[in-house]
Amino acid sequence: FVRRHSSRQGKEADEADLIRSTATKQAKMFSVATATLRRTATKSPNAYSFVCRSMSSLPETMKAAVVREVGDAHALKVETDFPTPALESGKVIVKNDFAGINFIDTYHRKGLYARDLPFVGGQEGGGTVAAVSDEAAAEGIKVGDRVAYSVFGSYAEYTSVPAAKLLPVPDGVALDTATACVVQGLTAHYLTSSAHADLIKEGDWCLIHGVGGGTCQWAAQMAKQRGHKVIGTCSKGKEDIAAKLGCDELLVLDEVPGTSYEDYESMDIVSKVMEITDGKGCKSVIDGIGKSTVDISIGCLAHRGIFISFGNASGAVPAFPVLRLIGKSAYVTRPKLLDYTTTREELVSRADEIFGWLKDGKLNVSVDTTFPLDQAAEGHLYLEAGKSKGKVLYSI
């Protein structure tokens, strides 16, 4: 009994020594860390503040829809342990409520527009600010602010966003509507205000293909705000949506069998456009369809009109000789959004006008369908099938 008791006492003493030793080591480590932070504060208060801001309550991992190999919609895989982005200087972390689904996302997923692998899909989101760097805080951005943005990586619970890319969402504009505004709304804005290089004036005709779908619903309404006369095309299945946009003329096409896409061979669109415009044609043609409409678009142009090709919904526009444009001394441009939001001032100016129209009831924005992020592949399949009658979103 004495030997057993003595052995137990020795063991307890060893455990106590181990606990004291561990506590001493932890105290020293904490002391070193504290001293380091204090030295940082003395030498660079901003850096010290940034370190403290980075020690947030954000989780280490998050749910995200990730592309590790390019391919069809099922290449978009939902992962629950993807690393949460770290807070960096000049940026904020946004906790996403919604992410927009756009055709350009499918081009990235397929590899048509190359991206480094792996990557989180999407480039349009809306939510609340969850963490703020010192530089962003100096610009007045606060945790809890409602914002929308366009940067890569929005198909996720959290996204790192440069402060300069944030769009404050005003009261009275819902976050899903604000998210829909970012890519499609801003794209429609530059297409109808800038991409035509002032070759179209108030009272001139423009042709906009696919006004039953997302971006060109916005474009048709914005062109009317600019005082342009609008001819829209749409499929029979989307006529109910297109009829509400205020187009001066609406050309309703049959659908390609088994799809929701317009059959651009079901009507002689060039003849119809020339009849509507008294043989003059359109000063601008806004075309996000691509391969199926390039010949129609060029044929519908007026003298010194401009063909604005901004999308490839039916496939990429094939190369054609520039000599085709000589008959009308016509112009062609293949623009992208980034080149029309090159500065913070330009970005905010466009967004402010759009949000103003929304608040005044001058724009009718249709959110067609919202998929949970867990159904990431289904969202892309829905968009690519041409089924949407408005904006398609993920709820995060």
Side-chain angles (χ1 to χ4, degrees):
F1 171 78
V2 172
R3 283 195 300 272
R4 287 198 301 273
H5 181 70
S6 175
S7 174
R8 187 183 306 126
Q9 284 182 326
K11 184 177 180 181
E12 290 173 350
D14 289 342
E15 290 175 349
D17 288 342
L18 178 61
I19 291 170
R20 282 193 295 272
S21 174
T22 301
T24 300
K25 290 178 180 177
Q26 289 176 337
K28 288 179 179 179
M29 289 171 63
F30 181 78
S31 177
V32 169
T34 303
T36 300
L37 286 174
R38 284 174 178 164
R39 285 195 301 272
T40 303
T42 301
K43 295 178 181 179
S44 178
N46 288 338
Y48 174 74
S49 178
F50 177 75
V51 169
C52 291
R53 286 179 187 276
S54 299
M55 297 166 65
S56 68
S57 58
L58 298 180
E60 293 183 0
T61 60
M62 63 179 183
K63 181 184 292 187
V66 183
V67 175
R68 294 191 177 275
E69 294 183 2
V70 297
D72 64 16
H74 297 286
L76 199 58
K77 304 290 188 183
V78 177
E79 302 180 7
T80 58
D81 58 353
F82 197 85
T84 302
L87 180 63
E88 300 176 14
S89 178
K91 297 185 178 182
V92 306
I93 303 296
V94 175
K95 187 178 188 304
N96 295 312
D97 287 287
F98 297 98
I101 310 175
N102 298 286
F103 266 104
I104 194 170
D105 303 343
T106 71
Y107 307 155
H108 291 149
R109 188 207 72 223
K110 294 174 185 176
L112 179 63
Y113 296 172
R115 297 271 306 276
D116 292 336
L117 296 170
F119 64 86
V120 175
Q123 62 176 72
E124 176 182 55
T128 55
V129 174
V132 184
S133 67
D134 281 338
E135 294 81 2
E139 295 180 23
I141 300 168
K142 306 181 298 301
V143 170
D145 284 352
R146 297 195 318 146
V147 295
Y149 64 86
S150 177
V151 302
F152 288 145
S154 63
Y155 291 1
E157 290 182 295
Y158 296 93
T159 304
S160 174
V161 184
K165 294 288 187 180
L166 288 178
L167 297 175
V169 177
D171 294 338
V173 176
L175 269 177
D176 58 348
T177 300
T179 304
C181 157
V182 181
V183 171
Q184 291 186 347
L186 289 172
T187 296
H189 192 278
Y190 87 74
L191 289 174
T192 56
S193 65
S194 305
H196 52 62
D198 291 328
L199 293 168
I200 182 171
K201 307 297 183 183
E202 187 173 343
D204 287 340
W205 284 99
C206 70
L207 171 64
I208 304 177
H209 289 300
V211 296
T215 299
C216 287
Q217 280 188 32
W218 294 79
Q221 296 175 82
M222 291 182 188
K224 292 300 296 179
Q225 293 291 328
R226 304 288 180 201
H228 304 156
K229 293 188 288 188
V230 176
I231 302 171
T233 67
C234 72
S235 65
K236 288 181 177 177
K238 299 180 181 180
E239 183 178 2
D240 57 334
I241 296 293
K244 301 174 183 177
L245 302 176
C247 294
D248 298 273
E249 298 284 345
L250 187 63
L251 305 182
V252 182
L253 310 177
D254 292 337
E255 294 175 343
V256 175
T259 77
S260 300
Y261 284 116
E262 299 92 340
D263 181 354
Y264 284 96
E265 296 181 355
S266 66
M267 179 187 296
D268 186 347
I269 294 175
V270 176
S271 294
K272 286 284 187 182
V273 167
M274 289 303 169
E275 179 184 336
I276 292 167
T277 62
D278 295 325
K280 294 179 180 178
C282 295
K283 281 293 188 178
S284 80
V285 177
I286 295 174
D287 185 345
I289 305 301
K291 183 178 180 180
S292 296
T293 50
V294 56
D295 293 332
I296 296 169
S297 295
I298 293 174
C300 289
L301 287 173
H303 177 66
R304 287 164 56 178
I306 184 167
F307 167 37
I308 304 169
S309 174
F310 78 97
N312 317 295
S314 66
V317 173
F320 62 87
V322 71
L323 198 61
R324 284 191 64 183
L325 305 174
I326 195 172
K328 298 176 182 177
S329 293
Y331 300 81
V332 62
T333 182
R334 204 330 180 165
K336 64 180 184 295
L337 176 58
L338 288 177
D339 287 331
Y340 287 87
T341 52
T342 55
T343 65
R344 172 72 179 167
E345 292 72 24
E346 187 175 29
L347 174 67
V348 172
S349 174
R350 294 190 188 281
D352 283 350
E353 187 164 33
I354 296 169
F355 285 141
W357 284 335
L358 286 169
K359 292 180 72 174
D360 293 342
K362 295 179 179 179
L363 286 179
N364 178 30
V365 180
S366 172
V367 175
D368 174 272
T369 305
T370 301
F371 290 88
L373 186 61
D374 288 330
Q375 296 179 12
E378 287 80 356
H380 273 214
L381 289 169
Y382 184 83
L383 188 70
E384 290 179 295
K387 296 178 180 179
S388 66
K389 294 183 179 182
K391 186 64 183 181
V392 184
L393 301 170
Y394 291 124
S395 59
I396 311 296

